[in-house]
Amino acid sequence: EKLLEYGFPRTYIELLKNRGITRLNPVQKSAVKKGLFNSMNLLVSAPTASGKTLIGEMALVHNTINKDMIGLYLVPLRALASEKYDEFKELEKLGLRIGITTGDYESPAEYLGRYNIVIATYERFDSLLRLKPKWLNRIGVVVIDEFHMIGDPERGPILEMIIAKMLSSQAQIIGLSATIGNPDVLAGWINAELVDDPYRPVELVEGVYDKKNHVIVFRDGRREKIIHRIGGAALNISLQSISSGIQVLVFVHNRRKAEEWAFKLSEHMGLFKHLIDKNKLSEILEELKESPSRLEREKLEYLISRGVAFHHAGLSSVARRVVEKGFRERIIRAVFATPTLAAGVNLPARRVLVSIKRYSPMRRQTVNIAVYEYKQMAGRAGRPTYDPYGEAIIYDASSLSEGLKFIHGKLEPITSKLNNERSLRIHVLALIASKDANTLEEIINVFKNTLFVAEYRDLAYLKSTIDIVLDDLLEWGMIESIGNNKFIATKLGLITSITYLDPLSVNRYLENIKDNVGDLYYLMLITQTPDYLRSKPYISNKLVELYEEEALELSDEDIIPEPPKTFEYYDYYVWLQSFVQAKMLHDWINEIDEDEIAEKYGVGPGDIYSARDTASWIASALSRVEKVLGNTVRANNLEKLSIRLEYGVKEDALELVELQGIGRVRARTLIKHGIKSLKDLASTPPSKIESLPGFGSRLVRSLYEQLREKGLI
Ligand code: ADP
C-alpha cells in the first residue's frame, strides 16, 4: 500500500480507498515532499479539482494523530464551511471530533477546544483571535482554503490579519488556492514552500466561439460548427451541446439575462423531455416545494421539468440546492448561472460556456473581465471520474483574437487590499481592545507581518493611514490616549470590537439615534451602516429615485433620520438607497408576503434572506452596545427588532416563533385562530392544531414535545 508509508492508521487508508483514493496524485506527492508532514508552511497553487482539499485534510489528520493539536480549516463563505463540514464529518469514523463555527461573533466558544478539527469562516476565526479562547495556543495547523481571496477588497484584509497573527505562532500554515499569477510572492510572504503544479485530473480544453463563421475553435485544433439558430451564441451552443448529450453550465453576468435565456432555451427542449428520469424529477420538484416563494417555485418547476434552470444569489437556499442537485443528477441539462456559482459550490460540468464581458455600472459601459475571473469559471469544466476532458468555451468574444487573449493570458498578480481606512480602523481597534498592541510601535509591529509590507517593503503608507484611523477612534470615544503614545480601549471601544461591527457603523448609529423613534427609524440607522451597505441587495436607481418624495416627507416628520448635510450627491443617494432598503425590511417585519416584497423592490428571496440576516445581526450587535452604555430601553428595542428581522414577524408573534417549525406564516395562522402565546398553545388540543392549514401531524407532535421540554405541559 502506497499510502501506508506516511504513517496513517489503517482505518484512514480504508476510508480513502472507499472514496476511490488509493494513491496520491502528483500535486499531493509534491506537497508531501515539500514538508506537509514536517510542519512546513506550504502554498499550494493548483487548478480546480486537482485534489487540494485532500492535502489540507491529510495535514489535519496527521496533526491530530501525531501531535494531538487542534487543526483549523478556514473558508471564505458560510456555505463552503457547511460543505466542508459534511465532507470532514466522515473522519469521525477515525475517532476524530469535527466542529464547525461560522456565526455568533461574540462568543469565545471555549467548547471548540474539545474538537480535533474545526471548520470556520475567515471572519469567525478573526473574531476568535480577538476573544482569545484558551485553545488558541493548541492550534497545530491552519489550512486556508481559497487563499487567493487575499486579494478580495472585503475579505482579503481579514485574511491578511489572521495570517499576520498566525505567522508569529507555532502553527503550520497551509494555503490552498486555484492557480494564481504571483504565487512566489505570496509563498515568500508566509515563509512557505511553493507547491505549484499545473496537474489537472481532467484535462481542460479551452475554445472560443468565432461568431463570424459560427464555429467553436478549440485550442487543440478541433472545430465545431454550430448549426442551431435559436438566439444568441450561448443559446445556440447550449442547444447543440444538449443535442449531443453534453450537459452545459452557462455563465451569464446578469441575473435577468440568466433567467431570460433559461426560458428561451426551454422552448426548444420538447425533444428532450422524454429523456428525463421521471422519478428523479418528481423527487426534485417535491424538494422545491419547500421554497418560500411561489414565484420562484413556479418558474423553476416549469424550467426544471424541461431540463433547464437558472442559478443566482437571488434564489432562496432551497432553490439553489435543488438546482445544484438536479444538475448533478443530470435531470437539468443546462444551467444559466451568474459567476457567484464559480466562487461558491463545487458544480463541475462537462462543458462550460464563459462570458468575458460584463456591464460596469460605474463606467456605464461593457468592460472585459480579468483573466483570473475567466480562469475561475473555465476551471469548472470537466467532472473528475466522469468526463474524459472538460471544455470551456468563450461565447461572447468580439473576435477570435480577443478570446485567445484570455486563454493565453497571464494571470493578474494578487495584491494586498489592506491599506484603506475601513480595514485599518477595524483591525487597529481590535488590536488595542484585545491588548495585542497598545502603542503605535506595537501596532505597527503586527502589521510588519502583512502582505502589504511584504509587497512594498515599507510601512510609510500604512503608518499614515493608521494615524488617521487612530484620530478617528479617539474622536469617537472608542480609545483613549494614556500618555507615552499608549492607547487603551474605552468601554465603547471594547464592546464595538467584540460585536465585530465596523467602528464607523457604531459611531454613525450613536450620532443619529434619538429616543421615542419607531421601527423604520431604527431600520434606517441599520441600513445606513457600512456593515449593511457592503452586502446590500441590489435595488435599481430608478426604483430608489421613485421613493425620493416619500423619504423627504418622512424625514421632515422625524420618522426617518435626516438626509446628510453634505452637498455630495453621492451621500444623498446613499441615504435614499438606505431608505428603500429600510422600507423593504419594514415590509418584511410587518409580514408582507415575500413574493410581494420581491416584486415591489425587484429582488429575489435569496436577497431578502441575506438582507434580513445582516440587519438582524447588526440590530443585535447594536443592542449589546446600548446595553453596555446603559440604555436598556434602546437595547430592548433593538433586541426585539433583531428577532423580528430574523423571522419576519410583527411583535405579537415573537413568542410563538421561539418554537422550531413555527415561522412567520404559521405563527400568524395560530394568532388568527386565537392562539397568541405558548400557554394558549399548550392548552389547545393537538387535534385542533392539526386541522389548521400548514400543520401536519408530525409538526404538531414536535410542537407539543417542545412545549413539554419548556415545562408548559
Ligand atoms: P480541489 O480542492 O483542488 O478543487 P478536490 O479536493 O475537490 O479538488 O478534489 C476533486 C476530486 O478528486 C474529489 O472528488 C476527490 O475525492 C478526488 N481526489 C482527490 N485526490 C485524489 C487521488 N489522489 N486519487 C483519486 N481521487 C482523488
Side-chain angles (χ1 to χ4, degrees), residues 3 16 19-26 28 46-55 73 84 87 145-146 176-177 199 201 346 380 384-385:
L3 281 168
L16 290 179
R19 286 195 219 152
I21 300 170
T22 50
R23 55 175 61 217
L24 297 187
N25 69 29
Q28 293 157 350
T48 316
S50 58
K52 294 185 291 294
T53 308
L54 186 63
I55 296 179
Y73 195 98
K84 287 298 165 197
E87 244 178 287
D145 204 351
E146 314 283 341
L176 307 177
S177 169
Y199 166 83
N346 196 9
R380 299 284 141 180
T385 71

